[in-house]
């Protein structure tokens, strides 16, 4: 479909938020708005078919990163947001899994570990239907993708319908959910299990300490940590933890990526809550395509019931992880994962009310002592305000909690959290994560999902006509090459 046809098919209800004017005169530039800065960053991290999380630290495509990035990209280029998801789903395995990394073949092998030659997806993953034409990892990440696809569609329904976007991604998303529901119900209670900490996305959380303690680490000489080239060792996972990550991944690979027999299997509240939210989104997508969404809504209700039955702990005041290989017991650690189910509309009222109290109480202190939502219990023995997922605040989890606050009518609290996200994203040059008390930047800067989700919250805060006025004022005197055109480009640690 040519560009003219795309534009004429586009709905007039939604406006493209970023369309920099052709400016030839160069004058002293006013500070760029957050919207423009975020858009520039996403352009800089665009590789032609997808967006890297970070140019140096994470130089490939990550699964849940791309979902969050697409949610922000929809405000600047719905076409690119659709392409982001399509590129990821093109690497889907035959059994339905969506791999957590899709490797860029132009990136040197030693730029990131574990690299393609560690995962050996096209050979070790052959029994599970790994693609032959692209190299991927063999594990997965949280299923945010159907929610992202629905939000991307709503940003420009005309373009989406003209390209057949939902019709093309729906079968892949349905297969992805089938894989999780049928292959990963390792506890038999209806919930999905993760088989590696990287799958849940919050890699180094203290919630994994007890399940990981049973794993014999891989020898230190068997791998090289590329993440330490770009991050301070005191902020990253320890060598012991990293050795256990490598051991789990290698064992999974040697089993041909078959599920069910590994030494690590945990039911995680955030992973399952995002699956429920995406089941609800798939129901909407099905209805948009002329099918019934009733069965998916019923499944979302059943999953919500199972989530409460298996992972809710009234004494902790939140959801906890269940360690299936550790006596089928709840892990007594409070992580931000246990707050993420707040985004579900079907939670029992008493459960939602208790979650809100926990969010504001001494363990997380949101709206009082902390600026964003800490990744771990402020009172926990393992709390560290700077070490990866052991206390720092991340922008994607704060975005999810903000959405949950709005879902349950906590508008003032949601507004305050949104403002904190926007302020800290701008002040830290879109940091990967921040100290929850001070807001000090940690990890990488120029982080894509931070920019994308700040863009999404900025869009909520400013109507399109107001945002265009602000951005045009901020762009005065800025050359077109500075703002970017969102065209295709050849620009080229451990991550969950």
């Amino acid at each position: 479909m040519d560009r003219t046809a795309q534009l004429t098919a586009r709905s007039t209800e939604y406006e493209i938020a970023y369309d920099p004017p052709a400016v030839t005169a160069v004058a002293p530039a006013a500070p760029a708005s957050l919207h423009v800065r975020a858009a520039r960053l996403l352009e800089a991290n665009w590789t032609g078919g997808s967006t890297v999380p970070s140019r140096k630290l994470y130089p490939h495509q990550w699964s849940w990163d791309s979902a969050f990035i697409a949610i922000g990209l929809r405000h600047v280029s719905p076409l690119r947001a659709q392409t982001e998801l399509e590129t990821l789903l093109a690497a889907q395995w035959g059994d339905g899994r969506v791999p957590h990394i899709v490797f860029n073949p132009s990136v040197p092998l030693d730029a990131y570990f574990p690299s393609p030659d560690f995962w050996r997806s096209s050979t070790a993953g052959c029994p599970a239907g790994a693609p032959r034409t692209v190299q991927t990892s063999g594990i997965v990440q949280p299923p945010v993708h159907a929610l992202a696809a629905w939000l991307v569609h709503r940003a420009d329904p005309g373009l989406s319908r003209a390209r057949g976007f939902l019709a093309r991604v729906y079968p892949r998303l349905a297969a992805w959910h089938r894989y999780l529901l049928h292959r990963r119900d390792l506890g038999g209670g209806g919930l999905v299990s993760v088989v590696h900490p990287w799958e849940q996305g919050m890699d180094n959380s203290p919630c994994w300490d007890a399940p990981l303690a049973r794993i014999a680490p891989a020898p230190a000489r068997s791998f090289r940590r590329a993440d330490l080239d770009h991050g301070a060792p005191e902020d990253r996972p320890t060598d012991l933890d990293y050795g256990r990550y490598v051991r789990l991944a290698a064992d999974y690979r040697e089993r041909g990526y078959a599920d069910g027999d590994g030494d690590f299997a945990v039911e995680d509240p955030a992973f399952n809550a995002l699956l429920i939210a995406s089941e609800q989104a798939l129901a909407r997508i099905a209805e948009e395509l002329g099918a019934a969404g009733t069965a998916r809504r019923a499944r979302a209700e059943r999953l919500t019931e199972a989530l409460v039955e298996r992972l809710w702990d009234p004494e902790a005041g939140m959801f906890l992880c269940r360690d299936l290989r550790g006596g089928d017991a709840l892990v007594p650690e409070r992580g931000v994962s246990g707050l993420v189910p707040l985004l579900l509309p079907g939670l029992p009222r008493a459960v939602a009310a208790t979650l809100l109290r926990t969010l504001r109480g001494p363990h997380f202190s949101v709206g009082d002592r902390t600026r964003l939502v800490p990744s771990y219990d402020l009172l926990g023995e393992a709390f560290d305000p700077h070490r990866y997922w052991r206390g720092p605040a991340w922008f994607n989890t704060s975005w999810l909690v903000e959405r949950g606050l709005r879902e349950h009518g906590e508008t003032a609290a949601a507004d305050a959290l949104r403002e904190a996200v926007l302020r800290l994203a701008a002040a830290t040059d879109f940091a990967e994560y921040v100290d929850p008390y001070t807001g000090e930047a940690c990890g990488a800067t120029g982080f894509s999902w931070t920019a994308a989700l700040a863009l999404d919250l900025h869009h909520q805060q400013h109507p399109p006509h107001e945002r265009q006025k602000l951005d045009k004022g901020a762009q005065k005197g800025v050359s077109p090459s500075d703002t970017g055109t969102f065209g295709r480009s050849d620009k080229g640690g451990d991550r969950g």
Side-chain angles (χ1 to χ4, degrees):
M1 184 178 190
D2 65 23
R3 182 64 176 158
T4 302
Q6 287 178 4
L7 291 172
T8 56
R10 183 171 291 158
S11 166
T12 57
E13 179 184 354
Y14 297 85
E15 299 182 49
I16 302 305
Y18 184 77
D19 187 14
V23 179
T24 53
V26 177
S33 70
L34 180 142
H35 181 86
V36 172
R37 290 175 57 199
R40 288 174 181 167
L41 173 59
L42 293 174
E43 167 70 3
N45 287 350
W46 175 249
T47 66
S50 63
T51 309
V52 297
S54 163
R55 278 286 173 187
K56 292 182 178 179
L57 189 54
Y58 308 119
H60 302 286
Q61 182 179 24
W62 263 259
S63 174
W64 76 326
D65 290 73
S66 278
F68 288 125
I69 289 164
I71 288 169
L73 271 178
R74 67 191 173 121
H75 301 299
V76 295
S77 175
L79 179 59
R80 247 180 58 194
Q82 292 175 28
T83 302
E84 184 83 38
L85 295 173
E86 290 165 348
T87 301
L88 176 69
L89 292 172
Q92 186 173 29
W93 289 28
D95 64 3
R97 82 181 73 194
V98 175
H100 99 295
I101 303 175
V102 181
F103 290 105
N104 181 344
S106 68
V107 173
L109 286 178
D110 62 357
Y112 179 81
F113 180 86
S115 51
D117 58 343
F118 172 88
W119 296 103
R120 305 171 202 162
S121 61
S122 60
T123 54
C126 188
R132 294 284 190 175
T133 56
V134 63
Q135 294 295 311
T136 76
S137 66
I139 60 175
V140 302
Q141 274 191 323
V144 201
H145 311 91
L147 174 61
W150 175 248
L151 293 176
V152 166
H153 164 76
R154 291 301 302 145
D156 194 335
L159 177 62
S160 174
R161 291 172 188 137
R163 295 187 68 245
F165 170 65
L166 291 183
R168 283 184 289 111
V169 300
Y170 180 81
R172 291 184 175 273
L173 293 169
W176 168 218
H177 286 207
R178 278 196 303 276
Y179 165 77
L180 293 173
L181 292 165
H182 295 166
R183 303 288 185 90
R184 289 297 191 90
D185 181 9
L186 304 182
L191 295 184
V192 172
S193 297
V194 296
V195 299
H196 195 292
W198 291 342
E199 291 198 314
Q200 191 264 0
M202 305 174 195
D203 313 9
N204 197 36
S205 170
C207 298
W208 312 131
D209 288 356
L212 279 174
R214 298 187 298 271
I215 309 302
R221 64 182 180 277
S222 66
F223 59 91
R224 175 188 172 275
R225 294 185 58 177
D227 64 308
L228 297 181
D229 294 341
H230 306 287
E234 62 270 18
D235 291 350
R236 308 294 297 176
T238 65
D239 287 343
L240 176 60
D241 285 335
Y242 212 96
R244 287 168 168 155
Y245 302 153
V246 172
R247 170 71 69 188
L248 279 174
D251 288 351
Y252 193 38
R253 178 195 65 207
E254 295 309 307
R255 297 196 307 273
Y257 298 108
D259 297 309
D261 297 326
D263 295 326
F264 185 100
V266 176
E267 293 175 353
D268 173 75
F271 196 102
N272 282 279
L274 291 170
L275 175 60
I276 294 166
S278 277
E279 272 293 303
Q280 294 164 337
L282 268 187
R284 296 186 179 96
I285 293 172
E287 290 165 351
E288 170 69 21
L289 295 173
T294 309
R296 294 201 175 278
R297 287 197 171 86
R299 183 178 295 119
E301 291 178 6
R302 291 195 300 272
L303 286 168
T304 302
E305 291 170 0
L307 182 71
V308 174
E309 179 182 345
R310 291 185 61 79
L311 304 185
W312 175 248
D313 188 314
E315 292 186 10
M318 62 188 301
F319 292 91
L320 302 178
C321 295
R322 181 175 290 276
D323 182 3
L324 300 181
R325 301 292 185 257
D328 197 29
L330 293 178
V331 178
E333 299 285 359
R334 294 178 173 90
V336 66
S337 172
L339 299 173
V340 169
L342 192 61
L343 64 84
L344 301 176
L347 279 185
R349 186 173 300 178
V351 170
T354 302
L355 274 179
L356 290 168
R357 287 195 296 271
T358 300
L359 178 67
R360 295 172 174 134
H363 295 285
F364 293 92
S365 202
V366 174
D368 182 13
R369 292 184 297 149
T370 61
R371 306 177 77 175
L372 301 183
V373 186
S375 55
Y376 177 63
D377 183 358
L378 300 173
L379 305 180
E381 290 185 9
F383 175 79
D384 184 327
H386 285 189
R387 194 179 284 276
Y388 210 63
W389 289 109
R390 300 180 81 83
W394 292 69
F395 290 88
N396 66 325
T397 49
S398 289
W399 182 88
L400 291 167
V401 171
E402 191 269 356
R403 193 174 179 90
L405 288 167
R406 292 196 190 282
E407 180 62 48
H408 293 281
E410 298 289 328
T411 304
D415 287 347
L417 184 54
R418 176 180 64 190
E419 182 58 37
V421 168
L422 294 174
R423 187 168 60 251
L424 286 175
T428 62
D429 192 23
F430 305 108
E432 185 178 2
Y433 51 100
V434 299
D435 183 307
Y437 290 120
T438 67
E440 176 189 350
C442 302
T445 54
F447 203 69
S448 291
W449 80 22
T450 301
L453 297 177
L455 196 57
D456 186 60
L457 294 179
H458 180 76
H459 178 86
Q460 288 181 24
Q461 194 175 51
H462 298 287
H465 65 278
E466 178 186 340
R467 190 170 58 257
Q468 284 183 337
K469 183 189 295 185
L470 289 171
D471 292 339
K472 286 180 180 178
Q475 291 170 21
K476 188 175 289 185
V478 181
S479 72
S481 61
D482 289 334
T483 56
T485 59
F486 294 96
R488 297 219 170 222
S489 168
D490 292 327
K491 299 174 184 176
D494 58 295
R495 243 2 274 295

